[in-house]
mmCIF file of all heavy atoms in Angstrom:
data_model
loop_
_atom_site.group_PDB
_atom_site.id
_atom_site.type_symbol
_atom_site.label_atom_id
_atom_site.label_comp_id
_atom_site.label_asym_id
_atom_site.label_seq_id
_atom_site.Cartn_x
_atom_site.Cartn_y
_atom_site.Cartn_z
ATOM 1 N N VAL A 45 -13.205 -13.173 14.375
ATOM 2 C CA VAL A 45 -11.873 -12.925 13.813
ATOM 3 C C VAL A 45 -11.081 -14.237 13.794
ATOM 4 O O VAL A 45 -11.056 -14.953 14.784
ATOM 5 C CB VAL A 45 -11.085 -11.894 14.671
ATOM 6 C CG1 VAL A 45 -9.723 -11.579 14.031
ATOM 7 C CG2 VAL A 45 -11.825 -10.591 14.799
ATOM 8 N N GLY A 61 3.488 -4.178 5.633
ATOM 9 C CA GLY A 61 2.481 -3.277 5.068
ATOM 10 C C GLY A 61 2.035 -3.681 3.671
ATOM 11 O O GLY A 61 1.023 -3.135 3.214
ATOM 12 N N PHE A 63 0.460 -6.525 0.978
ATOM 13 C CA PHE A 63 -0.654 -7.461 1.121
ATOM 14 C C PHE A 63 -0.592 -8.617 0.078
ATOM 15 O O PHE A 63 0.189 -8.527 -0.830
ATOM 16 C CB PHE A 63 -2.028 -6.748 1.053
ATOM 17 C CG PHE A 63 -2.384 -6.163 -0.252
ATOM 18 C CD1 PHE A 63 -3.280 -6.797 -1.095
ATOM 19 C CD2 PHE A 63 -1.865 -4.926 -0.675
ATOM 20 C CE1 PHE A 63 -3.641 -6.278 -2.341
ATOM 21 C CE2 PHE A 63 -2.259 -4.377 -1.931
ATOM 22 C CZ PHE A 63 -3.145 -5.062 -2.754
ATOM 23 N N VAL A 64 -1.400 -9.609 0.364
ATOM 24 C CA VAL A 64 -1.537 -10.743 -0.621
ATOM 25 C C VAL A 64 -3.039 -10.862 -1.032
ATOM 26 O O VAL A 64 -3.873 -10.274 -0.372
ATOM 27 C CB VAL A 64 -1.069 -12.067 0.019
ATOM 28 C CG1 VAL A 64 0.434 -12.030 0.285
ATOM 29 C CG2 VAL A 64 -1.833 -12.394 1.291
ATOM 30 N N HIS A 74 -17.254 -17.394 -7.334
ATOM 31 C CA HIS A 74 -16.478 -16.313 -6.713
ATOM 32 C C HIS A 74 -15.070 -16.205 -7.328
ATOM 33 O O HIS A 74 -14.197 -16.940 -6.984
ATOM 34 C CB HIS A 74 -16.346 -16.562 -5.195
ATOM 35 C CG HIS A 74 -17.623 -16.348 -4.453
ATOM 36 N ND1 HIS A 74 -18.539 -17.341 -4.296
ATOM 37 C CD2 HIS A 74 -18.202 -15.198 -3.945
ATOM 38 C CE1 HIS A 74 -19.597 -16.833 -3.656
ATOM 39 N NE2 HIS A 74 -19.388 -15.555 -3.451
ATOM 40 N N ARG A 77 -10.231 -12.553 -5.810
ATOM 41 C CA ARG A 77 -9.376 -12.960 -4.701
ATOM 42 C C ARG A 77 -9.628 -12.045 -3.499
ATOM 43 O O ARG A 77 -10.059 -10.931 -3.647
ATOM 44 C CB ARG A 77 -7.894 -12.898 -5.124
ATOM 45 C CG ARG A 77 -7.546 -13.961 -6.115
ATOM 46 C CD ARG A 77 -6.136 -13.834 -6.691
ATOM 47 N NE ARG A 77 -5.883 -14.948 -7.586
ATOM 48 C CZ ARG A 77 -5.305 -16.101 -7.218
ATOM 49 N NH1 ARG A 77 -4.897 -16.231 -5.967
ATOM 50 N NH2 ARG A 77 -5.123 -17.058 -8.069
ATOM 51 N N ILE A 78 -9.271 -12.512 -2.324
ATOM 52 C CA ILE A 78 -9.497 -11.739 -1.085
ATOM 53 C C ILE A 78 -8.143 -11.012 -0.732
ATOM 54 O O ILE A 78 -7.131 -11.687 -0.472
ATOM 55 C CB ILE A 78 -9.901 -12.595 0.059
ATOM 56 C CG1 ILE A 78 -11.237 -13.304 -0.279
ATOM 57 C CG2 ILE A 78 -10.043 -11.813 1.342
ATOM 58 C CD1 ILE A 78 -11.775 -14.206 0.785
ATOM 59 N N PRO A 79 -8.172 -9.692 -0.736
ATOM 60 C CA PRO A 79 -6.928 -8.958 -0.350
ATOM 61 C C PRO A 79 -6.796 -8.971 1.182
ATOM 62 O O PRO A 79 -7.718 -8.603 1.902
ATOM 63 C CB PRO A 79 -7.144 -7.533 -0.879
ATOM 64 C CG PRO A 79 -8.617 -7.376 -0.985
ATOM 65 C CD PRO A 79 -9.241 -8.749 -1.071
ATOM 66 N N LEU A 80 -5.638 -9.384 1.679
ATOM 67 C CA LEU A 80 -5.365 -9.370 3.122
ATOM 68 C C LEU A 80 -3.949 -8.920 3.399
ATOM 69 O O LEU A 80 -2.998 -9.301 2.747
ATOM 70 C CB LEU A 80 -5.541 -10.730 3.766
ATOM 71 C CG LEU A 80 -6.980 -11.329 3.881
ATOM 72 C CD1 LEU A 80 -6.923 -12.700 4.519
ATOM 73 C CD2 LEU A 80 -7.896 -10.382 4.664
ATOM 74 N N SER A 81 -3.805 -8.025 4.395
ATOM 75 C CA SER A 81 -2.519 -7.689 4.930
ATOM 76 C C SER A 81 -2.016 -8.854 5.765
ATOM 77 O O SER A 81 -2.745 -9.820 5.978
ATOM 78 C CB SER A 81 -2.623 -6.410 5.804
ATOM 79 O OG SER A 81 -3.165 -5.394 5.082
ATOM 80 N N PHE A 82 -0.820 -8.744 6.320
ATOM 81 C CA PHE A 82 -0.332 -9.809 7.172
ATOM 82 C C PHE A 82 0.230 -9.263 8.430
ATOM 83 O O PHE A 82 0.664 -8.124 8.521
ATOM 84 C CB PHE A 82 0.722 -10.662 6.427
ATOM 85 C CG PHE A 82 2.004 -9.871 6.077
ATOM 86 C CD1 PHE A 82 3.079 -9.896 6.950
ATOM 87 C CD2 PHE A 82 2.054 -9.116 4.895
ATOM 88 C CE1 PHE A 82 4.212 -9.173 6.650
ATOM 89 C CE2 PHE A 82 3.221 -8.411 4.628
ATOM 90 C CZ PHE A 82 4.276 -8.456 5.477
ATOM 91 N N LEU A 94 -1.934 -14.442 8.791
ATOM 92 C CA LEU A 94 -2.971 -13.543 8.402
ATOM 93 C C LEU A 94 -4.013 -13.481 9.526
ATOM 94 O O LEU A 94 -4.278 -14.523 10.174
ATOM 95 C CB LEU A 94 -3.698 -14.035 7.105
ATOM 96 C CG LEU A 94 -2.740 -14.357 5.971
ATOM 97 C CD1 LEU A 94 -3.470 -15.194 4.908
ATOM 98 C CD2 LEU A 94 -2.180 -13.100 5.351
ATOM 99 N N VAL A 95 -4.597 -12.298 9.770
ATOM 100 C CA VAL A 95 -5.658 -12.220 10.755
ATOM 101 C C VAL A 95 -6.840 -11.495 10.037
ATOM 102 O O VAL A 95 -6.634 -10.373 9.506
ATOM 103 C CB VAL A 95 -5.186 -11.380 11.979
ATOM 104 C CG1 VAL A 95 -6.333 -11.118 12.959
ATOM 105 C CG2 VAL A 95 -4.061 -12.157 12.685
ATOM 106 N N TYR A 96 -7.969 -12.146 10.015
ATOM 107 C CA TYR A 96 -9.063 -11.594 9.211
ATOM 108 C C TYR A 96 -10.391 -11.687 9.878
ATOM 109 O O TYR A 96 -10.681 -12.635 10.576
ATOM 110 C CB TYR A 96 -9.089 -12.257 7.811
ATOM 111 C CG TYR A 96 -9.314 -13.722 7.831
ATOM 112 C CD1 TYR A 96 -10.584 -14.263 7.663
ATOM 113 C CD2 TYR A 96 -8.220 -14.571 8.061
ATOM 114 C CE1 TYR A 96 -10.761 -15.652 7.680
ATOM 115 C CE2 TYR A 96 -8.425 -15.981 8.108
ATOM 116 C CZ TYR A 96 -9.692 -16.458 7.915
ATOM 117 O OH TYR A 96 -9.887 -17.826 7.959
ATOM 118 N N ALA A 97 -11.258 -10.690 9.610
ATOM 119 C CA ALA A 97 -12.610 -10.705 10.134
ATOM 120 C C ALA A 97 -13.480 -11.487 9.143
ATOM 121 O O ALA A 97 -13.327 -11.346 7.916
ATOM 122 C CB ALA A 97 -13.147 -9.264 10.226
ATOM 123 N N VAL A 98 -14.378 -12.254 9.647
ATOM 124 C CA VAL A 98 -15.327 -13.008 8.771
ATOM 125 C C VAL A 98 -16.524 -12.103 8.542
ATOM 126 O O VAL A 98 -17.300 -11.902 9.430
ATOM 127 C CB VAL A 98 -15.700 -14.354 9.470
ATOM 128 C CG1 VAL A 98 -16.694 -15.115 8.557
ATOM 129 C CG2 VAL A 98 -14.484 -15.156 9.747
ATOM 130 N N VAL A 99 -16.572 -11.561 7.345
ATOM 131 C CA VAL A 99 -17.614 -10.503 7.072
ATOM 132 C C VAL A 99 -18.550 -10.879 5.918
ATOM 133 O O VAL A 99 -19.635 -10.322 5.809
ATOM 134 C CB VAL A 99 -16.965 -9.172 6.756
ATOM 135 C CG1 VAL A 99 -16.268 -8.549 7.933
ATOM 136 C CG2 VAL A 99 -16.025 -9.257 5.557
ATOM 137 N N GLY A 100 -18.208 -11.842 5.071
ATOM 138 C CA GLY A 100 -19.023 -12.133 3.923
ATOM 139 C C GLY A 100 -18.695 -13.514 3.413
ATOM 140 O O GLY A 100 -17.982 -14.312 4.091
ATOM 141 N N GLU A 101 -19.152 -13.835 2.218
ATOM 142 C CA GLU A 101 -19.035 -15.198 1.684
ATOM 143 C C GLU A 101 -17.589 -15.664 1.561
ATOM 144 O O GLU A 101 -17.204 -16.739 1.911
ATOM 145 C CB GLU A 101 -19.766 -15.236 0.307
ATOM 146 C CG GLU A 101 -19.790 -16.527 -0.399
ATOM 147 C CD GLU A 101 -20.378 -17.664 0.466
ATOM 148 O OE1 GLU A 101 -21.130 -17.379 1.398
ATOM 149 O OE2 GLU A 101 -20.063 -18.835 0.169
ATOM 150 N N GLY A 102 -16.729 -14.761 1.020
ATOM 151 C CA GLY A 102 -15.320 -15.134 0.767
ATOM 152 C C GLY A 102 -14.573 -15.463 2.054
ATOM 153 O O GLY A 102 -13.947 -16.515 2.177
ATOM 154 N N THR A 103 -14.695 -14.574 3.066
ATOM 155 C CA THR A 103 -14.024 -14.802 4.315
ATOM 156 C C THR A 103 -14.648 -15.998 5.103
ATOM 157 O O THR A 103 -13.969 -16.641 5.887
ATOM 158 C CB THR A 103 -13.917 -13.543 5.163
ATOM 159 O OG1 THR A 103 -15.206 -12.854 5.173
ATOM 160 C CG2 THR A 103 -12.859 -12.577 4.597
ATOM 161 N N ARG A 104 -15.974 -16.194 4.912
ATOM 162 C CA ARG A 104 -16.606 -17.360 5.567
ATOM 163 C C ARG A 104 -15.977 -18.649 5.005
ATOM 164 O O ARG A 104 -15.663 -19.577 5.718
ATOM 165 C CB ARG A 104 -18.085 -17.361 5.279
ATOM 166 C CG ARG A 104 -18.934 -17.228 6.545
ATOM 167 C CD ARG A 104 -20.394 -17.580 6.376
ATOM 168 N NE ARG A 104 -21.055 -16.910 5.250
ATOM 169 C CZ ARG A 104 -21.510 -15.667 5.259
ATOM 170 N NH1 ARG A 104 -21.370 -14.910 6.346
ATOM 171 N NH2 ARG A 104 -22.112 -15.138 4.218
ATOM 172 N N VAL A 141 -9.774 -4.781 12.681
ATOM 173 C CA VAL A 141 -8.850 -5.668 11.960
ATOM 174 C C VAL A 141 -7.820 -4.854 11.165
ATOM 175 O O VAL A 141 -7.155 -5.404 10.292
ATOM 176 C CB VAL A 141 -9.530 -6.718 11.061
ATOM 177 C CG1 VAL A 141 -10.020 -7.863 11.915
ATOM 178 C CG2 VAL A 141 -10.589 -6.088 10.234
ATOM 179 N N GLY A 142 -7.651 -3.603 11.511
ATOM 180 C CA GLY A 142 -6.458 -2.827 11.058
ATOM 181 C C GLY A 142 -5.219 -3.259 11.796
ATOM 182 O O GLY A 142 -4.121 -2.815 11.505
ATOM 183 N N PRO A 144 -3.459 -6.260 12.041
ATOM 184 C CA PRO A 144 -2.382 -7.094 11.471
ATOM 185 C C PRO A 144 -1.238 -6.260 10.878
ATOM 186 O O PRO A 144 -0.053 -6.494 11.231
ATOM 187 C CB PRO A 144 -3.034 -7.970 10.489
ATOM 188 C CG PRO A 144 -4.470 -7.911 10.755
ATOM 189 C CD PRO A 144 -4.790 -6.790 11.606
ATOM 190 N N PRO A 145 -1.488 -5.295 9.965
ATOM 191 C CA PRO A 145 -0.373 -4.579 9.414
ATOM 192 C C PRO A 145 0.362 -3.700 10.430
ATOM 193 O O PRO A 145 1.537 -3.359 10.265
ATOM 194 C CB PRO A 145 -0.995 -3.709 8.275
ATOM 195 C CG PRO A 145 -2.423 -3.614 8.602
ATOM 196 C CD PRO A 145 -2.798 -4.905 9.335
ATOM 197 N N SER A 252 -2.582 2.920 6.169
ATOM 198 C CA SER A 252 -2.833 1.812 5.249
ATOM 199 C C SER A 252 -4.332 1.758 4.978
ATOM 200 O O SER A 252 -5.150 1.526 5.886
ATOM 201 C CB SER A 252 -2.372 0.511 5.935
ATOM 202 O OG SER A 252 -2.643 -0.554 5.075
ATOM 203 N N LEU A 253 -4.657 1.981 3.742
ATOM 204 C CA LEU A 253 -6.071 2.098 3.316
ATOM 205 C C LEU A 253 -6.655 0.783 2.802
ATOM 206 O O LEU A 253 -5.912 -0.035 2.290
ATOM 207 C CB LEU A 253 -6.265 3.165 2.240
ATOM 208 C CG LEU A 253 -6.468 4.621 2.725
ATOM 209 C CD1 LEU A 253 -5.314 5.097 3.633
ATOM 210 C CD2 LEU A 253 -6.598 5.549 1.529
ATOM 211 N N GLU A 254 -7.932 0.676 2.977
ATOM 212 C CA GLU A 254 -8.636 -0.539 2.372
ATOM 213 C C GLU A 254 -9.696 -0.005 1.394
ATOM 214 O O GLU A 254 -10.374 0.931 1.664
ATOM 215 C CB GLU A 254 -9.378 -1.317 3.497
ATOM 216 C CG GLU A 254 -8.537 -2.222 4.230
ATOM 217 C CD GLU A 254 -9.336 -3.105 5.179
ATOM 218 O OE1 GLU A 254 -10.578 -3.221 5.048
ATOM 219 O OE2 GLU A 254 -8.754 -3.647 6.138
ATOM 220 N N ARG A 255 -9.742 -0.662 0.241
ATOM 221 C CA ARG A 255 -10.777 -0.367 -0.749
ATOM 222 C C ARG A 255 -11.248 -1.704 -1.281
ATOM 223 O O ARG A 255 -10.510 -2.688 -1.249
ATOM 224 C CB ARG A 255 -10.184 0.428 -1.908
ATOM 225 C CG ARG A 255 -9.837 1.860 -1.578
ATOM 226 C CD ARG A 255 -11.086 2.705 -1.321
ATOM 227 N NE ARG A 255 -10.760 4.110 -1.062
ATOM 228 C CZ ARG A 255 -10.480 4.620 0.161
ATOM 229 N NH1 ARG A 255 -10.422 3.838 1.198
ATOM 230 N NH2 ARG A 255 -10.287 5.922 0.307
ATOM 231 N N MET A 256 -12.455 -1.724 -1.834
ATOM 232 C CA MET A 256 -12.914 -2.914 -2.546
ATOM 233 C C MET A 256 -11.914 -3.067 -3.722
ATOM 234 O O MET A 256 -11.517 -2.130 -4.329
ATOM 235 C CB MET A 256 -14.317 -2.696 -3.139
ATOM 236 C CG MET A 256 -15.348 -2.490 -2.100
ATOM 237 S SD MET A 256 -15.698 -3.937 -1.113
ATOM 238 C CE MET A 256 -16.602 -4.899 -2.317
ATOM 239 N N MET A 257 -11.491 -4.321 -3.994
ATOM 240 C CA MET A 257 -10.538 -4.551 -5.013
ATOM 241 C C MET A 257 -11.048 -5.589 -6.055
ATOM 242 O O MET A 257 -11.577 -6.603 -5.667
ATOM 243 C CB MET A 257 -9.192 -5.012 -4.463
ATOM 244 C CG MET A 257 -8.475 -3.876 -3.751
ATOM 245 S SD MET A 257 -6.800 -4.312 -3.324
ATOM 246 C CE MET A 257 -6.302 -2.786 -2.581
ATOM 247 N N CYS A 279 -5.384 2.248 -4.802
ATOM 248 C CA CYS A 279 -5.003 1.629 -3.488
ATOM 249 C C CYS A 279 -4.127 0.365 -3.709
ATOM 250 O O CYS A 279 -3.170 0.162 -2.985
ATOM 251 C CB CYS A 279 -6.238 1.304 -2.716
ATOM 252 S SG CYS A 279 -5.972 0.741 -1.035
ATOM 253 N N CYS A 280 -4.477 -0.436 -4.725
ATOM 254 C CA CYS A 280 -3.771 -1.712 -4.891
ATOM 255 C C CYS A 280 -2.293 -1.523 -5.393
ATOM 256 O O CYS A 280 -1.439 -2.316 -5.077
ATOM 257 C CB CYS A 280 -4.519 -2.591 -5.903
ATOM 258 S SG CYS A 280 -4.581 -1.963 -7.538
ATOM 259 N N PRO A 284 -1.161 -0.139 -0.434
ATOM 260 C CA PRO A 284 -2.177 0.443 0.414
ATOM 261 C C PRO A 284 -1.722 1.475 1.410
ATOM 262 O O PRO A 284 -2.497 2.196 1.965
ATOM 263 C CB PRO A 284 -2.748 -0.783 1.176
ATOM 264 C CG PRO A 284 -1.599 -1.687 1.266
ATOM 265 C CD PRO A 284 -0.814 -1.516 -0.006
HETATM 266 C C1 FAD B 318 -5.097 -4.009 1.076
HETATM 267 C C2 FAD B 318 -6.161 -4.638 1.880
HETATM 268 C C3 FAD B 318 -5.747 -5.328 3.066
HETATM 269 C C4 FAD B 318 -6.757 -5.874 3.851
HETATM 270 N N1 FAD B 318 -6.324 -6.529 4.998
HETATM 271 C C5 FAD B 318 -7.259 -7.103 5.785
HETATM 272 C C6 FAD B 318 -6.837 -7.786 6.978
HETATM 273 O O1 FAD B 318 -5.625 -7.942 7.291
HETATM 274 N N2 FAD B 318 -7.789 -8.337 7.772
HETATM 275 C C7 FAD B 318 -9.170 -8.238 7.429
HETATM 276 O O2 FAD B 318 -9.993 -8.737 8.198
HETATM 277 N N3 FAD B 318 -9.531 -7.598 6.354
HETATM 278 C C8 FAD B 318 -8.672 -7.030 5.486
HETATM 279 N N4 FAD B 318 -9.069 -6.418 4.311
HETATM 280 C C9 FAD B 318 -10.507 -6.459 4.026
HETATM 281 C C10 FAD B 318 -10.860 -7.761 3.331
HETATM 282 O O3 FAD B 318 -10.258 -7.848 2.076
HETATM 283 C C11 FAD B 318 -12.416 -7.866 3.109
HETATM 284 O O4 FAD B 318 -13.034 -7.891 4.401
HETATM 285 C C12 FAD B 318 -12.759 -9.140 2.377
HETATM 286 O O5 FAD B 318 -12.324 -9.010 1.039
HETATM 287 C C13 FAD B 318 -14.295 -9.358 2.385
HETATM 288 O O6 FAD B 318 -14.562 -10.416 1.501
HETATM 289 P P1 FAD B 318 -15.902 -11.285 1.709
HETATM 290 O O7 FAD B 318 -16.142 -12.047 0.434
HETATM 291 O O8 FAD B 318 -15.872 -12.083 2.953
HETATM 292 O O9 FAD B 318 -17.023 -10.189 1.924
HETATM 293 P P2 FAD B 318 -17.976 -9.521 0.844
HETATM 294 O O10 FAD B 318 -19.220 -10.352 0.848
HETATM 295 O O11 FAD B 318 -17.249 -9.233 -0.426
HETATM 296 O O12 FAD B 318 -18.219 -8.163 1.618
HETATM 297 C C14 FAD B 318 -18.668 -8.129 2.991
HETATM 298 C C15 FAD B 318 -18.504 -6.744 3.553
HETATM 299 O O13 FAD B 318 -17.051 -6.399 3.536
HETATM 300 C C16 FAD B 318 -16.826 -5.224 2.777
HETATM 301 N N5 FAD B 318 -15.607 -5.414 1.982
HETATM 302 C C17 FAD B 318 -15.456 -6.314 0.954
HETATM 303 N N6 FAD B 318 -14.194 -6.207 0.439
HETATM 304 C C18 FAD B 318 -13.610 -5.221 1.111
HETATM 305 C C19 FAD B 318 -12.338 -4.586 0.993
HETATM 306 N N7 FAD B 318 -11.421 -4.986 0.096
HETATM 307 N N8 FAD B 318 -12.068 -3.579 1.850
HETATM 308 C C20 FAD B 318 -12.983 -3.192 2.735
HETATM 309 N N9 FAD B 318 -14.179 -3.745 2.891
HETATM 310 C C21 FAD B 318 -14.517 -4.700 2.067
HETATM 311 C C22 FAD B 318 -18.093 -5.084 1.889
HETATM 312 O O14 FAD B 318 -18.385 -3.745 1.591
HETATM 313 C C23 FAD B 318 -19.153 -5.662 2.781
HETATM 314 O O15 FAD B 318 -19.647 -4.752 3.704
HETATM 315 C C24 FAD B 318 -8.106 -5.867 3.517
HETATM 316 C C25 FAD B 318 -8.494 -5.165 2.343
HETATM 317 C C26 FAD B 318 -7.543 -4.573 1.573
HETATM 318 C C27 FAD B 318 -7.920 -3.818 0.298
#
Side-chain angles (χ1 to χ4, degrees):
V45 183
F63 67 101
V64 293
H74 287 90
R77 290 172 178 269
I78 299 180
L80 289 179
S81 303
F82 64 93
L94 309 164
V95 174
Y96 59 97
V98 180
V99 293
E101 181 56 22
T103 45
R104 243 195 310 279
V141 281
S252 179
L253 272 57
E254 278 187 19
R255 289 291 183 273
M256 298 292 286
M257 286 190 180
C279 186
C280 66

